[in-house]
Amino acid sequence: MPSQSPSSSTVPPPPSRDDVVAALRAAGCVFAEDEAEMIFSAAVAPRDVAAMTERRAAGLPLELVVGWAEFHGRRIIVEPGVFVPRRRTEFLVDQALAQAPAARVVVDLCCGSGAVGAALAAALGAVELHAADIDPAAVRCARRNIAALGGQVHTGDLFTALPDGLRGRVGILAANVPYVPSDEIGLLPAEARDHEPLVALDGGADGLDVLRRVAAEAPGWLAPGGCLLVETGSRQAPAAVAAFTAAGLRTRLAASDEGHAHVVIGAAPS
C-alpha cells in the first residue's frame, strides 16, 4: 500500500490577516481591516479565524461573530437572537447622565442585551438597577451583562415586568423601544432584518406604538424630577414629543447630527 504523502494529511494553515481582510472586503464589509482585527482578537485559537470569517462573510453581524459589542466604553455580551446595541444609542446614555447625574434608581426598559442599563450603572456608581424585556433570550443575555453591577432583570411586557415597589422612585427610565414602522422592516439592512428579533424592531404602523405606551405610563413610575428618555427617528420626533407632553412631562428633543440620533427627554415635575 503506497504511503500517504505529507502534504495530503497536513492541516491547512489558518488565514492571514490579509486573507481575512480580502474575504471580508469581497463580501462587502466596508471596514474590513477593523473587522479583521476584531476577529483575530476574539478567536480562541487560530483555527477559529477561518470559521468566524466565513460567518461574517455570509452576513452574520460582526457582534454575533465575536460575541460582544463595544458600547459606551464597555464590552457588552451579545447572543444570537438578541438586538445588537447601536453606537448611536450612546447619545441616549450621555443625555441621561447629563439630565440626572445624581439618579440612584435606574430602569432599562426594552433592555435587549442590557447595554444601556450597564452603561448608566457603570457611570453613576452605586445605583439600584433594574432591566426588563419581553423576550426571554434578551433577559438571559442582559443578566450576563448587568449581574456584576448588582442589577436585576425581569421578564414581561414593559411596566408589568417591574416590581411594584419601583413606582414613584425611578430617577432614570431609559427605554430603547422599537421604532421602525411595520411597512419599513423590509427596508432594513439584512444584518438587522435577518438576525434580530422582530419584537425589537417593529414599532407598529407609524413606529410609535410602544413609545406611546411607555410615555403614558412613565409618570407613575418616575420619582419627582425623574426623567424618561427614548430614542426615536427624525421623522417621528414631533409626534414623540407630543406623546411625552400629553403625559404631563416637561419635554425636550436632543439630537446628534454626528451620531444620527434623536432622543426625546421628559422630566417629571419636581
Side-chain angles (χ1 to χ4, degrees), residues 149-251:
L149 296 162
Q152 300 179 48
V153 189
H154 314 280
T155 308
D157 183 21
L158 299 180
F159 296 99
T160 62
L162 299 178
D164 200 58
L166 287 174
R167 290 182 181 273
R169 297 180 51 233
V170 180
I172 294 176
L173 173 55
N176 197 14
V177 302
Y179 59 85
V180 180
S182 299
D183 61 2
E184 295 181 17
I185 295 293
L187 304 178
L188 291 173
E191 289 185 7
R193 188 179 65 243
D194 297 341
H195 298 285
E196 294 183 320
L198 185 62
V199 69
L201 302 170
D202 192 340
D206 66 352
L208 296 176
D209 284 1
V210 182
L211 182 147
R212 290 191 183 94
R213 291 177 57 201
V214 170
E217 294 188 53
W221 295 84
L222 293 174
C227 60
L228 167 67
L229 301 99
V230 178
E231 185 177 284
T232 191
S234 58
R235 289 179 299 144
Q236 301 152 314
V241 167
F244 273 47
T245 303
L249 300 171
R250 300 193 309 273
T251 307

Side-chain angles (χ1 to χ4, degrees), residues 1-224:
M1 182 176 180
S3 61
Q4 190 177 43
S5 65
S7 60
S8 63
S9 60
T10 301
V11 176
S16 67
R17 276 174 169 73
D18 287 345
D19 294 333
V20 172
V21 169
L24 296 178
R25 189 173 289 125
C29 300
V30 177
F31 303 105
E33 292 83 358
D34 293 340
E35 295 194 7
E37 289 299 322
M38 289 180 65
I39 287 173
F40 273 94
S41 68
V44 176
R47 64 178 178 273
D48 297 330
V49 172
M52 295 170 72
T53 302
E54 288 177 7
R55 291 197 294 271
R56 176 59 181 140
L60 190 68
L62 177 66
E63 294 84 359
L64 295 180
V65 172
V66 301
W68 56 271
E70 181 76 21
F71 184 83
H72 211 265
R74 298 182 64 81
R75 185 171 288 194
I76 299 296
I77 297 167
V78 291
E79 299 174 351
V82 176
F83 182 80
V84 175
R86 310 301 202 250
R87 295 299 292 267
R88 65 172 174 269
T89 307
E90 294 176 341
F91 182 65
L92 184 151
V93 173
D94 292 336
Q95 291 297 309
L97 295 173
Q99 179 74 26
R104 298 271 61 92
V105 180
V106 173
V107 170
D108 181 1
L109 210 57
C110 302
C111 68
S113 65
V116 170
L120 287 170
L124 291 168
V127 296
E128 180 181 348
L129 172 62
H130 295 265
D133 203 288
I134 197 171
D135 186 349
V139 169
R140 289 192 297 271
C141 184
R143 286 197 175 115
R144 297 182 65 191
N145 284 309
I146 73 171
L149 296 162
Q152 300 179 48
V153 189
H154 314 280
T155 308
D157 183 21
L158 299 180
F159 296 99
T160 62
L162 299 178
D164 200 58
L166 287 174
R167 290 182 181 273
R169 297 180 51 233
V170 180
I172 294 176
L173 173 55
N176 197 14
V177 302
Y179 59 85
V180 180
S182 299
D183 61 2
E184 295 181 17
I185 295 293
L187 304 178
L188 291 173
E191 289 185 7
R193 188 179 65 243
D194 297 341
H195 298 285
E196 294 183 320
L198 185 62
V199 69
L201 302 170
D202 192 340
D206 66 352
L208 296 176
D209 284 1
V210 182
L211 182 147
R212 290 191 183 94
R213 291 177 57 201
V214 170
E217 294 188 53
W221 295 84
L222 293 174

